[in-house]
Amino acid sequence: MNNQSTTSVETAGEPIEETRRGQLIEVTIDSLAEVGYVGTTLAQIANRAGVSTGLVAHYFGDKDGLLDAAFRSLARRVSDHARSRLRPISTPRARIQAVIDANLAPEEFDQRTGTAWLAFWGQVLQVKSLRRVQSVYQRRTLSTLKSALNKLVPPEQAQSLAAMIASMIDGVWLRAALSGWREADSASARALLTEFVDRRLQGLRADHGRAAGTAHPKSVSVEAGERFASINPANGEVVGYVNVAGAKEVNAAVRAAQRGQAQWAALTGAERARVLRRAAQLLRSRNQPLAELETKDTGKPIQETLVVDVISGADCLEYFASLAQSLAGEHLDLGPQAFGYTRREPLGVVAGIGAWNYPLQIACWKAAPALACGNAMIFKPAELTPLSAVKLEEIFLEAGLPAGVFQVVQGFAETGRLLTTHPDIRKVSLTGEVGTGKAVMSDAAQTLKNVTLELGGKSPLIVFDDAKLDNAVSGALLANFYSSGQVCSNATRVFVHSAIKAAFLDRLVKRVGAMRIGDPMDPATQVGALISEQHMQKVLGYIARGRAEGARLLIGGNRVTSGNLARGYFVAPAVFDECRDDMAIVREEIFGPVMSVLAFDDEAEVIERANATEFGLAAGVFTNDLTRAHRVIAKLEAGTCWINHYNVTPIELPFGGVKMSGLGRENGRAAIEHYTRLKSVYVAMGDVDAPY
Ligand code: NDP
């Protein structure tokens, strides 16, 4: 009887036949566990089972058929267990766990079953039919893992992590067997895999993953109610924990926001302004502890967070407090018999979703105009930097903001999507990558939400030959290395006129060489850590690619691991010369300390090259020729521009991008347009003249 007919017996046979086959398979597994593959024969199985060899042959044909059936039975059992564990589960992390638990369940992870598995594995490479079973079983495991991982990390990483998890499962089996089942039991094997998956996920969650590797014990989960840790990227220490918000929590937040908003919108602009000003004062008075928290959460130097992050948030609250008092519609004269007016009304409940580079500042830049206009805001910080927004929520409450009007929900992209798809949220303001912007806009379209998108960039800085050289070098440094280069508006394409390039580079390299890389909490440190190991690897990858593509690395570009810095993700600021417009380092957003210097000779040429990008966030020009400065700026395709400076962002000036860098504006009066809607009112002053 060949294997084909065995299968037909298996599916069409009488129950008694199936029971007998099942018993013989169990005896075969016992035999494999005791005497191995070679020692297991039809006669030996018949003898153990107390039946004739002919009966065994009747069911299974030959030894290959018997062993094939036993192997299928083992594989099917694990698959069935996995399927029944997977059925009630929808969240991706729990689905991964179901695969782990099914493979390492106590009934599988024991000496008998494990040794039988090993006996098969030993034969898989030689016996074709066993190889088939093994490959179907592996494919199924990998595909379940991959489809769950695809929801958590990018596809290429999902693929390799799925393979890693499968290998770890195999590896833990092998180790346990080789140690005579003393090294691990089912519970400890599952705990090992769970920890491995959490750590890898943490490191791999695209550009969000922080603190991967064995040194950092952050337990990442994407399920509602579970908590995750925020890690200091400078040393791997846990800074704090937060809970993931799921649908239940988001719905509750929206209901609370609706209640609070009704109360908040009923106040006068002056009353709302008073609360915002009090919050600004509290921010200023807590600048030191807030800056320290921000530095620990982001890895940015304290010398930056002390003077920018908190202060800029407070400036923003004060600015919009003033506007809250002067919000107004229009009066329109429609002749003696009528007039019209517009009312500027709040949208209702709005959502803010933040990136990890300026967590508190982003929360303030979104909350201030939203609240000034009488909205309530639910804010989701980036998963990597969740802590300072919680402090802002506390400060708002302390300042007198009604409960529910500013709330923080924590979590990953899934939590963000609960906001962007919520029917009772009227607007979403996102700061993040272009890809996230597209996803948010598409989700928001389902409920026709208004969106503001502050996205990525690859901005140009143009240095003409009449520029004041030291100022231009300062501008290029500000345009590239603040926050370790993790600034959206950075001008990472520095076009320098050929006539001054050598002198420019000479001064630039000297100043970069003197920059101090170190512990971000040390006030003398100028260059802190990158946000995560994952992100650091991405940055280092770009640096390697730049060299491979022929750019000349003048300085930096290496990971810095001296002393305690080895515990964090530090990269020395890099300057590339001899760059071409088609190089990856010149075209793509790196979001790290990597400056590309490009030579140019002609104004028209440099404008064309500066605009040859899908991005359009920012741009800068250094020149002493006033006319040229304005002429060039007018032609640059960018939302935010500087003449003879770079990266200064006073709240009074609107900030935002064009092209793929975003939609809408933050700051300035322009932001009011994005957080209010106009109601037009016609008022008749005479009788109604109807023709009917
Ligand atoms: P991401 O786009 O990865 O994430 C931004 C936020 O969106 C995070 O809170 C993230 O959650 C959330 N999110 C991710 N996917 C979704 C989704 N499908 N639906 C709803 N929310 C989602 O950006 P980064 O945090 O990596 O920040 C770096 C990027 O931000 C760079 O491209 C930079 O240029 C840009 N940026 C732009 C600025 C601007 O003003 N134009 C300013 C600062 C940064 P989670 O983190 O949990 O995944």
Side-chain angles (χ1 to χ4, degrees):
M1 194 182 281
N2 63 23
N3 190 48
Q4 207 57 44
S5 56
T6 304
T7 310
S8 68
V9 170
E10 192 177 303
T11 52
E14 297 294 319
I16 182 89
E17 301 272 287
E18 281 182 34
T19 309
R20 265 196 212 132
R21 277 174 49 77
Q23 286 164 346
L24 289 172
I25 285 172
E26 288 305 313
V27 171
T28 308
I29 293 171
D30 286 340
S31 166
L32 284 165
E34 284 165 31
V35 297
Y37 192 87
V38 177
T40 300
T41 61
L42 286 195
Q44 199 248 4
I45 296 302
N47 191 26
R48 277 174 173 254
V51 297
S52 71
T53 309
L55 187 75
V56 182
H58 163 72
Y59 284 120
F60 301 103
D62 54 12
K63 174 174 170 173
D64 282 351
L66 172 64
L67 293 173
D68 185 84
F71 194 26
R72 278 172 195 275
S73 161
L74 279 178
R76 193 183 316 115
R77 202 166 68 195
V78 176
S79 296
D80 288 349
H81 284 169
R83 246 198 314 278
S84 68
R85 283 172 197 267
L86 286 166
R87 208 166 293 128
I89 295 171
S90 59
T91 53
R93 179 62 186 85
R95 290 182 74 79
I96 297 166
Q97 197 60 39
V99 173
I100 295 170
D101 290 346
N103 275 275
L104 303 176
E107 62 273 24
E108 301 298 336
F109 202 78
D110 66 1
Q111 181 150 12
R112 172 183 176 265
T113 323
T115 316
W117 269 107
L118 278 184
F120 283 119
W121 283 351
Q123 300 304 311
V124 158
L125 295 181
Q126 275 82 41
V127 183
K128 210 166 152 196
S129 61
L130 296 186
R131 192 153 70 236
R132 247 192 337 258
V133 180
Q134 160 74 6
S135 93
V136 168
Y137 161 73
Q138 271 294 341
R139 262 207 314 272
R140 199 174 292 149
T141 304
L142 279 172
S143 116
T144 311
L145 287 171
K146 218 170 77 190
S147 77
L149 285 163
N150 269 332
K151 299 196 174 81
L152 301 174
V153 294
E156 65 282 6
Q157 295 176 336
Q159 167 106 9
S160 73
L161 183 51
M164 268 187 236
I165 296 170
S167 314
M168 282 283 288
I169 292 173
D170 292 348
V172 97
W173 271 98
L174 195 61
R175 289 252 20 113
L178 294 177
S179 72
W181 303 90
R182 279 188 302 274
E183 219 171 64
D185 58 14
S186 165
S188 65
R190 278 180 289 147
L192 180 75
L193 258 292
T194 304
E195 195 185 351
F196 168 78
V197 170
D198 280 344
R199 287 186 181 188
R200 290 306 305 173
L201 267 183
Q202 178 185 336
L204 284 178
R205 287 180 65 83
D207 294 340
H208 334 298
R210 159 108 67 98
T214 49
H216 299 165
K218 175 174 169 181
S219 169
V220 164
S221 163
V222 293
E223 277 135 54
E226 291 191 31
R227 69 177 194 161
F228 65 92
S230 184
I231 308 289
N232 183 337
N235 57 23
E237 284 166 11
V238 172
V239 190
Y241 290 91
V242 293
N243 287 318
V244 174
K248 195 168 129 239
E249 291 79 10
V250 167
N251 285 335
V254 172
R255 282 194 301 276
Q258 285 170 325
R259 287 192 296 272
Q261 194 263 333
Q263 202 184 332
W264 179 241
L267 298 181
T268 64
E271 286 166 327
R272 289 201 298 272
R274 237 170 269 140
V275 174
L276 296 181
R277 280 198 197 95
R278 269 201 298 273
Q281 277 159 12
L282 288 169
L283 276 173
R284 288 191 199 286
S285 69
R286 292 173 200 171
N287 187 32
Q288 182 74 32
L290 287 170
E292 284 174 12
L293 180 68
E294 204 71 321
T295 282
K296 287 179 188 159
D297 218 13
T298 60
K300 302 199 299 181
I302 188 82
Q303 65 161 252
E304 287 187 21
T305 52
L306 268 177
V307 299
V308 175
D309 298 62
V310 189
I311 305 289
S312 163
D315 287 350
C316 189
L317 288 170
E318 280 160 0
Y319 175 79
F320 283 102
S322 305
L323 290 193
Q325 283 178 268
S326 55
L327 285 179
E330 273 184 303
H331 171 273
L332 295 122
D333 187 346
L334 301 174
Q337 294 300 313
F339 69 92
Y341 66 93
T342 57
R343 282 171 54 83
R344 195 169 278 284
E345 297 178 344
L347 302 175
V349 179
V350 301
I353 302 178
W356 44 256
N357 59 340
Y358 281 87
L360 183 66
Q361 187 202 65
I362 289 173
C364 289
W365 281 20
K366 294 187 190 307
L371 302 188
C373 296
N375 301 284
M377 172 165 272
I378 302 175
F379 185 80
K380 189 198 90 64
E383 100 220 11
L384 294 170
T385 51
L387 302 178
S388 55
V390 178
K391 296 288 168 204
L392 181 64
E393 183 178 0
E394 290 166 12
I395 283 176
F396 274 134
L397 285 174
E398 209 177 317
L401 194 71
V405 176
F406 180 82
Q407 297 171 78
V408 175
V409 294
Q410 302 283 4
F412 304 88
E414 292 85 340
T415 305
R417 294 200 65 204
L418 289 170
L419 298 174
T420 54
T421 54
H422 202 291
D424 295 329
I425 291 182
R426 305 282 175 227
K427 180 210 167 64
V428 181
S429 174
L430 166 84
T431 298
E433 295 174 354
V434 173
T436 310
K438 290 180 189 172
V440 163
M441 194 168 175
S442 143
D443 280 343
Q446 304 313 309
T447 45
L448 281 184
K449 282 185 188 35
N450 186 318
V451 291
T452 296
L453 302 175
E454 294 290 350
L455 309 178
K458 191 76 196 174
S459 302
L461 174 65
I462 304 174
V463 182
F464 284 98
D465 50 358
D466 62 344
K468 217 167 166 189
L469 208 53
D470 283 326
N471 279 348
V473 170
S474 296
L477 291 169
L478 285 176
N480 278 272
F481 300 133
Y482 220 71
S483 296
S484 297
Q486 303 165 118
V487 179
C488 53
S489 50
N490 269 3
T492 45
R493 294 183 295 145
V494 180
F495 293 93
V496 184
H497 194 279
S498 303
I500 56 160
K501 200 179 88 169
F504 177 89
L505 285 175
D506 187 46
R507 294 187 199 195
L508 179 74
V509 168
K510 277 200 190 92
R511 287 173 66 179
V512 172
M515 286 173 82
R516 198 157 159 176
I517 307 166
D519 174 3
M521 291 299 281
D522 178 347
T525 292
Q526 294 169 316
V527 182
L530 292 174
I531 193 71
S532 67
E533 181 183 22
Q534 175 70 22
H535 189 57
M536 176 187 70
Q537 295 301 353
K538 176 181 158 188
V539 171
L540 291 173
Y542 269 110
I543 292 166
R545 204 157 153 204
R547 298 174 84 156
E549 287 184 343
R552 194 154 71 92
L553 185 60
L554 298 182
I555 190 164
N558 54 298
R559 182 176 180 184
V560 181
T561 53
S562 48
N564 279 340
L565 301 193
R567 294 162 65 208
Y569 311 123
F570 296 83
V571 172
V575 177
F576 275 108
D577 185 22
E578 295 171 21
C579 299
R580 292 187 317 272
D581 294 355
D582 64 342
M583 290 175 170
I585 53 167
V586 178
R587 282 183 291 108
E588 296 168 23
E589 183 181 45
I590 302 174
F591 220 56
V594 185
M595 182 196 302
S596 296
V597 177
L598 302 118
F600 77 94
D601 294 302
D602 175 69
E603 182 181 310
E605 166 218 332
V606 78
I607 291 171
E608 193 184 324
R609 290 170 64 196
N611 286 337
T613 168
E614 62 172 5
F615 298 107
L617 186 55
V621 174
F622 272 85
T623 176
N624 266 350
D625 179 340
L626 264 185
T627 324
R628 172 159 63 194
H630 297 296
R631 186 172 63 230
V632 171
I633 287 290
K635 288 188 182 151
L636 289 175
E637 296 165 358
T640 308
C641 295
W642 292 274
I643 296 175
N644 292 333
H645 213 312
Y646 206 89
N647 263 347
V648 278
T649 51
I651 304 299
E652 294 80 355
L653 267 176
F655 182 87
V658 299
K659 291 158 67 176
M660 298 297 263
S661 289
L663 286 177
R665 291 291 177 268
E666 293 193 317
N667 297 344
R669 288 181 176 276
I672 295 298
E673 299 297 329
H674 302 295
Y675 286 99
T676 52
R677 60 185 179 208
L678 284 182
K679 180 177 278 170
S680 299
V681 185
Y682 177 96
V683 184
M685 303 289 284
D687 294 333
V688 178
D689 183 13
Y692 315 108

